[in-house]
Amino acid sequence: MSLYTGIIEKYRDRLPVTADTPVISLNEGNTPLIELRNLPRLIKKKVRIFGKFEGLNPTGSFKDRGMTMAVTKAVEAGAKAIICASTGNTSAAAAAYAARAGIACFVLIPEGKIALGKLSQAMMHGSVVIQIRGNFDDGMRLVQELAKTTPVNIVNSINPYRLQGQKTIAFEIIEALGDAPDYHALPVGNAGNISAHWTGYSEAVCESTRACGFCSGKCSYHKSKMATQRPIMLGYQASGAAPILRGRPVENPETVATAIRIGNPVSWQLAVAAQQESGGWFDECTDQEILHVQKLLAQTEGIFCEPASAISLAGVLKDLELGKIGEGSTIVCTLTGHGLKDPDTAIAQSTKPVTVDAEHGAIERVIREYLPEG
Ligand code: AN7
């Protein structure tokens, strides 16, 4: 039997674990890399665009890759409780993995500003949900203070194990494509994920015994080069929450993409390093652009991602139009979370259901009205 059992088992020689580490996993990772077939035709560009659909992780977002590592290491260290601040997805993942591990979980979320699906997950998995009258950045600051006065282990991405888990996405993409893509685009909120992607890609082209900070250069991974190139990294922020574009923290970040409603990212410097080392860039998209592309992806390709995730494709489509990304390129967009996370936003921008009597004729009239011509 060769069951797939998650990213730690698959990449254990590339991750900071030993044979005795008690792995806490929900079989995360191994998500599909889906080629967008209709969009390149629609925009008349000869490019290959792939969506790495992280919404198909166990709790519906990429956070599971980081959380399996963070919770595993917390349990290994004897922790009885974890804590995080979250715009929603981190709290959902933390709650689920804490449940799996049998430890307590405290999540700080901005009151009224997290998507319904994410809130339901944190509640359902039995974490202690603490709504704060403040935003994510306030929560992040408080979590760091609270970890000094209470016995709780932080599982936000300032915990380096989170980024170690999240780097595995790069390995999967390289395995699927046979090499790294030319461009890799993703949303930037707290900026951990773009940093983790870059770490993964960098380790994949490395054939030296360079230390990764955990293995002292001893792991077999550093001796097995997987890719011949690293991608150009593209990070997109929502216009109302774009501290990296502004060059300073944004005090009151605001965007429909609540997942990335973050004004002072913890991994800011790491993200800038990834952008600079890769020769990439940051840019911003408006809420209108984000929602437009979320719907476009859902309706032309059948992929339903959440608003924050759609910004990766929104940015790429804009940069293709501007010629900043050339034809012939292979592009991967990380679709970070599932659209079902935020049903309110989806319903608000969609065509309302047609209500009719339960009667053949009435329904047939609707069908005839909406049938494609010809
Ligand atoms: C769907 O859950 O920060 O730049 O607390 O949920 O690594 O922060 C979520 C972030 C992109 C941004 N897409 O990633 C949280 C949280 C989705 C997200 C991001 C998030 P980072």
Side-chain angles (χ1 to χ4, degrees):
M1 198 168 67
S2 62
L3 265 186
Y4 176 83
T5 53
I7 59 139
I8 296 181
E9 289 306 341
K10 171 126 195 236
Y11 299 110
R12 67 162 42 246
D13 60 350
R14 300 159 194 189
L15 290 167
V17 290
T18 68
D20 298 329
T21 303
V23 176
I24 309 296
S25 171
L26 288 164
N27 299 11
E28 60 294 311
N30 197 21
T31 55
L33 186 69
I34 308 169
E35 180 154 17
L36 307 188
R37 302 260 179 216
N38 300 320
L39 270 179
R41 237 185 300 137
L42 200 71
I43 61 170
K44 301 190 172 64
K45 299 277 182 197
K46 286 198 177 57
V47 284
R48 298 189 77 183
I49 311 177
F50 295 84
K52 178 70 169 163
F53 196 16
E54 290 288 280
L56 292 182
N57 273 299
T59 78
S61 87
F62 72 95
K63 303 286 182 183
D64 294 342
R65 292 180 190 273
M67 206 53 73
T68 184
M69 270 307 308
V71 172
T72 290
K73 294 304 281 188
V75 169
E76 185 175 46
K80 297 279 180 285
I82 59 173
I83 190 168
C84 65
S86 182
T87 57
N89 280 325
T90 299
S91 66
Y97 283 81
R100 184 85 159 165
I103 60 174
C105 179
F106 300 92
V107 307
L108 269 65
I109 56 170
E111 185 186 20
K113 292 292 184 180
I114 87 166
L116 201 63
K118 304 173 189 180
L119 179 61
S120 77
Q121 290 176 289
M123 293 169 70
M124 191 67 184
H125 289 302
S127 69
V128 179
V129 180
I130 305 168
Q131 299 201 70
I132 58 168
R133 296 185 194 95
N135 60 29
F136 171 85
D137 304 292
D138 297 319
M140 197 60 243
R141 176 175 48 78
L142 287 161
V143 158
Q144 293 178 73
E145 289 173 21
L146 288 155
K148 293 190 186 124
T149 60
T150 57
V152 291
N153 189 304
I154 301 179
V155 294
N156 280 106
S157 55
I158 47 168
N159 177 332
Y161 296 121
R162 277 278 310 279
L163 301 193
Q164 283 294 307
Q166 284 169 217
K167 77 183 181 186
T168 58
I169 190 171
F171 306 154
E172 290 180 13
I173 291 165
I174 290 166
E175 281 165 10
L177 295 178
D179 204 340
D182 301 316
Y183 292 88
H184 192 122
L186 69 171
V188 176
N190 213 20
N193 209 24
I194 190 169
S195 311
H197 278 63
W198 187 241
T199 299
Y201 282 123
S202 298
E203 289 182 8
V205 291
C206 177
E207 52 189 340
S208 76
T209 52
R210 185 174 61 99
C212 68
F214 290 103
C215 70
S216 317
K218 290 195 193 86
C219 73
S220 62
Y221 183 53
H222 291 288
K223 294 158 201 154
S224 64
K225 180 167 158 146
M226 301 173 80
T228 66
Q229 64 170 16
R230 295 186 293 180
I232 292 169
M233 301 300 294
L234 310 179
Y236 298 102
Q237 299 206 291
S239 293
I244 298 181
L245 275 298
R246 307 287 170 262
R248 60 187 147 71
V250 172
E251 203 163 319
N252 294 305
E254 212 42 86
T255 169
V256 69
T258 51
I260 51 173
R261 186 174 169 272
I262 295 174
N264 192 12
V266 160
S267 298
W268 189 324
Q269 298 311 324
L270 286 176
V272 170
Q275 171 254 321
Q276 289 179 347
E277 286 171 32
S278 73
W281 59 84
F282 294 104
D283 209 338
E284 61 187 282
C285 295
T286 64
D287 281 2
Q288 207 187 344
E289 290 169 331
I290 291 169
L291 293 177
H292 170 71
V293 172
Q294 185 197 15
K295 200 162 161 178
L296 184 70
L297 182 64
Q299 302 194 348
T300 60
E301 302 283 359
I303 302 171
F304 185 20
C305 69
E306 67 171 283
S309 313
I311 202 173
S312 57
L313 182 62
V316 161
L317 293 180
K318 211 154 67 165
D319 286 338
L320 275 167
E321 199 52 51
L322 291 170
K324 289 172 80 177
I325 302 174
E327 301 224 18
S329 301
T330 297
I331 307 151
V332 173
C333 297
T334 304
L335 302 174
T336 47
H338 204 292
L340 289 171
K341 292 272 194 174
D342 191 353
D344 294 317
T345 304
I347 288 172
Q349 59 170 320
S350 298
T351 307
K352 301 290 165 285
V354 181
T355 307
V356 296
D357 289 333
E359 189 254 310
H360 184 105
I363 300 167
E364 184 169 329
R365 275 193 294 281
V366 176
I367 292 172
R368 295 204 179 281
E369 187 183 338
Y370 286 94
L371 269 180
E373 280 166 33

mmCIF file of all heavy atoms in Angstrom, residues 61-63 85-91 118 136 156-157 166 187-194 259-260 262 306 308-309 336-337, ligand 1:
data_model
loop_
_atom_site.group_PDB
_atom_site.id
_atom_site.type_symbol
_atom_site.label_atom_id
_atom_site.label_comp_id
_atom_site.label_asym_id
_atom_site.label_seq_id
_atom_site.Cartn_x
_atom_site.Cartn_y
_atom_site.Cartn_z
ATOM 1 N N SER A 61 -7.143 25.640 2.367
ATOM 2 C CA SER A 61 -6.151 26.664 2.001
ATOM 3 C C SER A 61 -4.731 26.127 2.157
ATOM 4 O O SER A 61 -4.508 25.078 2.760
ATOM 5 C CB SER A 61 -6.308 27.931 2.851
ATOM 6 O OG SER A 61 -5.579 27.827 4.059
ATOM 7 N N PHE A 62 -3.768 26.914 1.612
ATOM 8 C CA PHE A 62 -2.350 26.539 1.678
ATOM 9 C C PHE A 62 -1.816 26.479 3.099
ATOM 10 O O PHE A 62 -0.730 25.952 3.339
ATOM 11 C CB PHE A 62 -1.506 27.536 0.874
ATOM 12 C CG PHE A 62 -1.377 28.899 1.523
ATOM 13 C CD1 PHE A 62 -0.285 29.207 2.322
ATOM 14 C CD2 PHE A 62 -2.343 29.863 1.326
ATOM 15 C CE1 PHE A 62 -0.166 30.457 2.930
ATOM 16 C CE2 PHE A 62 -2.231 31.117 1.927
ATOM 17 C CZ PHE A 62 -1.149 31.416 2.727
ATOM 18 N N LYS A 63 -2.550 27.057 4.036
ATOM 19 C CA LYS A 63 -2.063 27.124 5.418
ATOM 20 C C LYS A 63 -1.799 25.735 5.991
ATOM 21 O O LYS A 63 -1.005 25.578 6.915
ATOM 22 C CB LYS A 63 -3.066 27.854 6.299
ATOM 23 C CG LYS A 63 -3.411 29.256 5.840
ATOM 24 C CD LYS A 63 -2.302 30.244 6.106
ATOM 25 C CE LYS A 63 -2.720 31.652 5.660
ATOM 26 N NZ LYS A 63 -1.648 32.642 5.838
ATOM 27 N N ALA A 85 -2.937 34.800 15.433
ATOM 28 C CA ALA A 85 -3.821 35.859 14.938
ATOM 29 C C ALA A 85 -4.141 35.460 13.518
ATOM 30 O O ALA A 85 -3.333 34.796 12.875
ATOM 31 C CB ALA A 85 -3.111 37.199 14.952
ATOM 32 N N SER A 86 -5.309 35.836 13.027
ATOM 33 C CA SER A 86 -5.639 35.356 11.689
ATOM 34 C C SER A 86 -6.695 36.199 10.999
ATOM 35 O O SER A 86 -7.595 36.745 11.638
ATOM 36 C CB SER A 86 -6.126 33.907 11.756
ATOM 37 O OG SER A 86 -6.413 33.426 10.470
ATOM 38 N N THR A 87 -6.559 36.276 9.665
ATOM 39 C CA THR A 87 -7.633 36.830 8.850
ATOM 40 C C THR A 87 -8.612 35.714 8.469
ATOM 41 O O THR A 87 -9.516 35.932 7.689
ATOM 42 C CB THR A 87 -7.067 37.479 7.571
ATOM 43 O OG1 THR A 87 -6.318 36.498 6.842
ATOM 44 C CG2 THR A 87 -6.157 38.659 7.906
ATOM 45 N N GLY A 88 -8.381 34.504 8.976
ATOM 46 C CA GLY A 88 -9.341 33.421 8.795
ATOM 47 C C GLY A 88 -8.754 32.070 8.470
ATOM 48 O O GLY A 88 -9.048 31.082 9.150
ATOM 49 N N ASN A 89 -7.922 31.993 7.451
ATOM 50 C CA ASN A 89 -7.440 30.683 7.030
ATOM 51 C C ASN A 89 -6.450 30.055 8.008
ATOM 52 O O ASN A 89 -6.476 28.836 8.232
ATOM 53 C CB ASN A 89 -6.825 30.763 5.632
ATOM 54 C CG ASN A 89 -7.894 30.744 4.553
ATOM 55 O OD1 ASN A 89 -8.912 30.075 4.702
ATOM 56 N ND2 ASN A 89 -7.671 31.473 3.463
ATOM 57 N N THR A 90 -5.583 30.886 8.574
ATOM 58 C CA THR A 90 -4.644 30.345 9.566
ATOM 59 C C THR A 90 -5.414 29.789 10.755
ATOM 60 O O THR A 90 -5.076 28.722 11.288
ATOM 61 C CB THR A 90 -3.641 31.424 10.021
ATOM 62 O OG1 THR A 90 -2.900 31.854 8.879
ATOM 63 C CG2 THR A 90 -2.680 30.893 11.067
ATOM 64 N N SER A 91 -6.465 30.494 11.162
ATOM 65 C CA SER A 91 -7.241 30.031 12.321
ATOM 66 C C SER A 91 -7.948 28.716 12.006
ATOM 67 O O SER A 91 -8.014 27.819 12.855
ATOM 68 C CB SER A 91 -8.241 31.099 12.779
ATOM 69 O OG SER A 91 -9.238 31.330 11.817
ATOM 70 N N LYS A 118 -14.558 30.342 7.092
ATOM 71 C CA LYS A 118 -13.374 30.248 7.954
ATOM 72 C C LYS A 118 -13.779 30.306 9.427
ATOM 73 O O LYS A 118 -13.257 29.559 10.256
ATOM 74 C CB LYS A 118 -12.412 31.392 7.623
ATOM 75 C CG LYS A 118 -12.001 31.431 6.157
ATOM 76 C CD LYS A 118 -11.182 32.655 5.803
ATOM 77 C CE LYS A 118 -10.996 32.742 4.288
ATOM 78 N NZ LYS A 118 -10.212 33.916 3.874
ATOM 79 N N PHE A 136 -6.067 42.566 11.909
ATOM 80 C CA PHE A 136 -5.078 41.483 11.988
ATOM 81 C C PHE A 136 -3.774 41.950 12.623
ATOM 82 O O PHE A 136 -3.182 41.242 13.442
ATOM 83 C CB PHE A 136 -4.796 40.920 10.586
ATOM 84 C CG PHE A 136 -3.640 39.958 10.566
ATOM 85 C CD1 PHE A 136 -3.826 38.619 10.880
ATOM 86 C CD2 PHE A 136 -2.343 40.395 10.265
ATOM 87 C CE1 PHE A 136 -2.754 37.726 10.890
ATOM 88 C CE2 PHE A 136 -1.270 39.514 10.275
ATOM 89 C CZ PHE A 136 -1.473 38.178 10.582
ATOM 90 N N ASN A 156 1.647 31.409 13.936
ATOM 91 C CA ASN A 156 1.685 32.321 12.777
ATOM 92 C C ASN A 156 3.011 32.115 12.052
ATOM 93 O O ASN A 156 3.897 31.418 12.545
ATOM 94 C CB ASN A 156 1.559 33.777 13.242
ATOM 95 C CG ASN A 156 0.125 34.154 13.547
ATOM 96 O OD1 ASN A 156 -0.256 34.284 14.709
ATOM 97 N ND2 ASN A 156 -0.678 34.316 12.512
ATOM 98 N N SER A 157 3.156 32.762 10.886
ATOM 99 C CA SER A 157 4.332 32.458 10.067
ATOM 100 C C SER A 157 5.629 33.080 10.593
ATOM 101 O O SER A 157 6.677 32.880 9.983
ATOM 102 C CB SER A 157 4.081 32.838 8.607
ATOM 103 O OG SER A 157 3.693 34.185 8.506
ATOM 104 N N GLN A 166 5.466 25.242 4.113
ATOM 105 C CA GLN A 166 4.903 25.869 2.910
ATOM 106 C C GLN A 166 5.844 25.841 1.705
ATOM 107 O O GLN A 166 5.407 25.941 0.570
ATOM 108 C CB GLN A 166 4.460 27.304 3.240
ATOM 109 C CG GLN A 166 3.152 27.318 4.022
ATOM 110 C CD GLN A 166 2.769 28.658 4.613
ATOM 111 O OE1 GLN A 166 2.238 28.710 5.708
ATOM 112 N NE2 GLN A 166 3.027 29.751 3.916
ATOM 113 N N PRO A 187 -0.684 36.005 -4.077
ATOM 114 C CA PRO A 187 -1.120 37.117 -3.246
ATOM 115 C C PRO A 187 -0.143 37.330 -2.095
ATOM 116 O O PRO A 187 0.475 36.376 -1.626
ATOM 117 C CB PRO A 187 -2.481 36.670 -2.705
ATOM 118 C CG PRO A 187 -2.567 35.206 -2.923
ATOM 119 C CD PRO A 187 -1.547 34.815 -3.937
ATOM 120 N N VAL A 188 -0.021 38.567 -1.655
ATOM 121 C CA VAL A 188 0.854 38.873 -0.526
ATOM 122 C C VAL A 188 0.047 39.567 0.568
ATOM 123 O O VAL A 188 -0.512 40.639 0.356
ATOM 124 C CB VAL A 188 2.037 39.769 -0.964
ATOM 125 C CG1 VAL A 188 2.877 40.158 0.249
ATOM 126 C CG2 VAL A 188 2.902 39.044 -1.985
ATOM 127 N N GLY A 189 -0.045 38.900 1.719
ATOM 128 C CA GLY A 189 -0.721 39.470 2.878
ATOM 129 C C GLY A 189 0.299 39.692 3.980
ATOM 130 O O GLY A 189 0.941 40.734 4.065
ATOM 131 N N ASN A 190 0.511 38.654 4.774
ATOM 132 C CA ASN A 190 1.531 38.724 5.815
ATOM 133 C C ASN A 190 2.912 38.397 5.239
ATOM 134 O O ASN A 190 3.903 38.403 5.949
ATOM 135 C CB ASN A 190 1.159 37.765 6.949
ATOM 136 C CG ASN A 190 1.605 38.272 8.315
ATOM 137 O OD1 ASN A 190 1.854 39.456 8.504
ATOM 138 N ND2 ASN A 190 1.715 37.358 9.262
ATOM 139 N N ALA A 191 2.935 38.046 3.951
ATOM 140 C CA ALA A 191 4.160 37.870 3.155
ATOM 141 C C ALA A 191 4.969 36.614 3.459
ATOM 142 O O ALA A 191 6.096 36.466 2.975
ATOM 143 C CB ALA A 191 5.047 39.113 3.239
ATOM 144 N N GLY A 192 4.390 35.691 4.213
ATOM 145 C CA GLY A 192 5.108 34.456 4.514
ATOM 146 C C GLY A 192 5.154 33.505 3.329
ATOM 147 O O GLY A 192 6.181 32.882 3.058
ATOM 148 N N ASN A 193 4.050 33.420 2.601
ATOM 149 C CA ASN A 193 3.961 32.402 1.562
ATOM 150 C C ASN A 193 4.923 32.666 0.401
ATOM 151 O O ASN A 193 5.556 31.739 -0.098
ATOM 152 C CB ASN A 193 2.516 32.285 1.062
ATOM 153 C CG ASN A 193 2.179 30.900 0.557
ATOM 154 O OD1 ASN A 193 2.804 29.909 0.954
ATOM 155 N ND2 ASN A 193 1.208 30.818 -0.322
ATOM 156 N N ILE A 194 5.039 33.911 -0.020
ATOM 157 C CA ILE A 194 5.957 34.210 -1.131
ATOM 158 C C ILE A 194 7.395 33.892 -0.693
ATOM 159 O O ILE A 194 8.193 33.374 -1.478
ATOM 160 C CB ILE A 194 5.809 35.684 -1.611
ATOM 161 C CG1 ILE A 194 6.576 35.898 -2.922
ATOM 162 C CG2 ILE A 194 6.246 36.684 -0.546
ATOM 163 C CD1 ILE A 194 6.271 37.231 -3.609
ATOM 164 N N ALA A 259 -8.777 37.994 3.459
ATOM 165 C CA ALA A 259 -7.615 37.151 3.799
ATOM 166 C C ALA A 259 -6.329 37.965 3.797
ATOM 167 O O ALA A 259 -5.406 37.677 4.558
ATOM 168 C CB ALA A 259 -7.500 35.992 2.814
ATOM 169 N N ILE A 260 -6.253 38.965 2.923
ATOM 170 C CA ILE A 260 -5.022 39.762 2.802
ATOM 171 C C ILE A 260 -5.243 41.203 3.263
ATOM 172 O O ILE A 260 -4.597 42.130 2.796
ATOM 173 C CB ILE A 260 -4.439 39.702 1.369
ATOM 174 C CG1 ILE A 260 -5.505 40.022 0.315
ATOM 175 C CG2 ILE A 260 -3.841 38.330 1.100
ATOM 176 C CD1 ILE A 260 -4.934 40.155 -1.116
ATOM 177 N N ILE A 262 -4.167 43.135 5.502
ATOM 178 C CA ILE A 262 -3.037 43.188 6.425
ATOM 179 C C ILE A 262 -2.200 44.424 6.098
ATOM 180 O O ILE A 262 -1.854 44.655 4.941
ATOM 181 C CB ILE A 262 -2.189 41.891 6.300
ATOM 182 C CG1 ILE A 262 -3.025 40.684 6.761
ATOM 183 C CG2 ILE A 262 -0.891 42.001 7.100
ATOM 184 C CD1 ILE A 262 -2.377 39.332 6.557
ATOM 185 N N GLU A 306 -10.981 31.773 -3.577
ATOM 186 C CA GLU A 306 -11.481 32.919 -2.817
ATOM 187 C C GLU A 306 -10.903 34.221 -3.387
ATOM 188 O O GLU A 306 -9.939 34.189 -4.163
ATOM 189 C CB GLU A 306 -11.215 32.751 -1.324
ATOM 190 C CG GLU A 306 -9.769 32.769 -0.894
ATOM 191 C CD GLU A 306 -9.656 32.804 0.640
ATOM 192 O OE1 GLU A 306 -9.860 33.883 1.200
ATOM 193 O OE2 GLU A 306 -9.362 31.758 1.255
ATOM 194 N N ALA A 308 -8.965 36.668 -2.332
ATOM 195 C CA ALA A 308 -7.522 36.918 -2.164
ATOM 196 C C ALA A 308 -6.703 36.101 -3.155
ATOM 197 O O ALA A 308 -5.706 36.576 -3.701
ATOM 198 C CB ALA A 308 -7.089 36.583 -0.736
ATOM 199 N N SER A 309 -7.119 34.873 -3.412
ATOM 200 C CA SER A 309 -6.372 33.996 -4.317
ATOM 201 C C SER A 309 -6.423 34.511 -5.744
ATOM 202 O O SER A 309 -5.451 34.388 -6.492
ATOM 203 C CB SER A 309 -6.963 32.587 -4.281
ATOM 204 O OG SER A 309 -7.169 32.164 -2.958
ATOM 205 N N THR A 336 -4.618 30.295 -3.486
ATOM 206 C CA THR A 336 -4.314 29.991 -2.085
ATOM 207 C C THR A 336 -5.457 29.392 -1.264
ATOM 208 O O THR A 336 -5.217 28.658 -0.317
ATOM 209 C CB THR A 336 -3.814 31.270 -1.394
ATOM 210 O OG1 THR A 336 -4.709 32.350 -1.748
ATOM 211 C CG2 THR A 336 -2.414 31.636 -1.843
ATOM 212 N N GLY A 337 -6.708 29.737 -1.623
ATOM 213 C CA GLY A 337 -7.821 29.244 -0.808
ATOM 214 C C GLY A 337 -9.068 28.993 -1.642
ATOM 215 O O GLY A 337 -9.244 29.540 -2.736
HETATM 216 C C1 AN7 B 1 -6.340 32.744 0.891
HETATM 217 O O1 AN7 B 1 -5.118 33.396 7.653
HETATM 218 O O2 AN7 B 1 -2.733 35.762 6.989
HETATM 219 O O3 AN7 B 1 1.258 36.502 2.424
HETATM 220 O O4 AN7 B 1 -4.244 34.835 8.995
HETATM 221 O O5 AN7 B 1 -5.656 33.279 3.573
HETATM 222 O O6 AN7 B 1 1.587 34.267 3.460
HETATM 223 O O7 AN7 B 1 0.109 35.943 4.542
HETATM 224 C C2 AN7 B 1 -3.994 34.521 5.416
HETATM 225 C C3 AN7 B 1 -3.293 34.856 4.299
HETATM 226 C C4 AN7 B 1 -3.228 34.624 0.620
HETATM 227 C C5 AN7 B 1 -1.622 35.679 2.131
HETATM 228 N N1 AN7 B 1 -4.341 33.947 0.329
HETATM 229 O O8 AN7 B 1 -0.550 34.831 2.448
HETATM 230 C C6 AN7 B 1 -4.377 34.357 7.869
HETATM 231 C C7 AN7 B 1 -3.614 34.942 6.752
HETATM 232 C C8 AN7 B 1 -5.135 33.495 1.298
HETATM 233 C C9 AN7 B 1 -4.826 33.746 2.637
HETATM 234 C C10 AN7 B 1 -2.860 34.914 1.916
HETATM 235 C C11 AN7 B 1 -3.675 34.494 2.951
HETATM 236 P P1 AN7 B 1 0.675 35.403 3.260
#
